[in-house]
């Protein structure tokens, strides 16, 4: 039986560390708020937060700059960048959900991006999901709600961002 050479071993180690099997580190490079609000459903999988690779950061930086400033330019925002709202909106959304009482039996995370609130996690019923979405619309400065909540064992559903509050 022949032993692998040192050179082939080093090549294997180098390829394993940098090859297709290695994953690039992902971070919350834009500091988008992501917060767990409730935690009553133990089997609810933890949703992915706002994580980006270095390449994804480069790819979306220009788009984020354009979206952030356009709100102010057209007169829909009082702050010069719509992302500046997120750090205060998400704690208020969290407080509102916790104090409401109807959602104590859920496991919900909220993420903010450009005055949009993404609801992630698990609820008991479709009615509860819809009620939570409508409740978040009531929080000041929220421009849209994206509902990624799971109902029971259903797969995550996507509800498009609504054009205006109802």
């Amino acid at each position: 039986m022949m032993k692998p050479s040192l050179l082939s071993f080093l090549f294997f180690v180098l390829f394993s560390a940098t090859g297709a099997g290695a994953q690039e580190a992902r971070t919350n490079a834009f500091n988008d708020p992501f917060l767990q609000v409730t935690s009553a459903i133990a089997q609810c999988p933890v949703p992915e937060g706002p994580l980006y690779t270095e390449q994804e950061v480069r790819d979306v930086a220009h788009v984020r700059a354009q979206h952030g400033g356009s709100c102010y330019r057209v007169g829909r925002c009082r702050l010069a960048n719509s992302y500046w709202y997120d750090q205060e909106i998400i704690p208020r959304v969290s407080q509102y959900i916790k104090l409401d009482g109807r959602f104590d039996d859920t496991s919900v995370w909220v993420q903010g991006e450009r005055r949009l609130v993404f609801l992630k996690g698990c609820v008991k019923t479709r009615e509860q999901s819809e009620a939570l979405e409508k409740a978040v619309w009531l929080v000041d400065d929220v421009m849209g709600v994206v509902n990624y909540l799971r109902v029971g064992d259903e797969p995550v559903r996507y509800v498009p961002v609504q054009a205006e509050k109802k």
Side-chain angles (χ1 to χ4, degrees), residues 9 23 27 46 53 55 58 60 67 72 99 135 137 147:
F9 175 74
Q23 290 188 351
T27 64
V46 176
T53 65
Q55 184 59 50
R58 287 189 293 276
V60 301
H67 285 170
Y72 181 76
L99 293 176
W137 269 111
N147 187 336

Side-chain angles (χ1 to χ4, degrees), residues 16-76:
S16 296
T18 61
Q23 290 188 351
E24 190 175 349
R26 300 171 76 219
T27 64
N28 185 358
F30 298 108
N31 199 29
D32 294 329
F34 180 66
L35 184 64
Q36 185 171 12
V37 180
T38 62
S39 59
I41 302 175
Q43 67 275 19
C44 185
V46 176
E48 183 172 289
L51 300 175
Y52 302 90
T53 65
E54 286 184 35
Q55 184 59 50
E56 289 169 332
V57 169
R58 287 189 293 276
D59 291 345
V60 301
H62 178 75
V63 171
R64 286 178 65 104
Q66 290 294 320
H67 285 170
S70 66
C71 178
Y72 181 76
R73 282 192 307 276
V74 299
R76 292 194 65 211

Side-chain angles (χ1 to χ4, degrees), residues 93 96-97 100-106 108 119 123-139 145 147 149 151 157 159 162 166:
V93 166
Y96 189 77
I97 292 170
D100 186 287
R102 294 178 290 168
F103 313 110
D104 293 345
D105 61 345
T106 66
V108 174
L119 301 173
V123 295
K124 300 281 185 179
T125 66
R126 183 163 306 282
E127 293 77 24
Q128 190 177 43
S129 173
E130 291 168 359
L132 180 53
E133 182 178 343
K134 287 178 183 174
V136 171
W137 269 111
L138 298 175
V139 176
V145 179
N147 187 336
L149 295 169
V151 178
R157 67 186 183 101
V159 178
Q162 297 176 7
K166 292 187 177 183

Side-chain angles (χ1 to χ4, degrees), residues 45 47 119-121 147-151 153-159:
L119 301 173
K120 300 178 179 184
N147 187 336
Y148 286 126
L149 295 169
R150 291 176 69 154
V151 178
D153 291 336
E154 289 181 1
V156 174
R157 67 186 183 101
Y158 171 72
V159 178

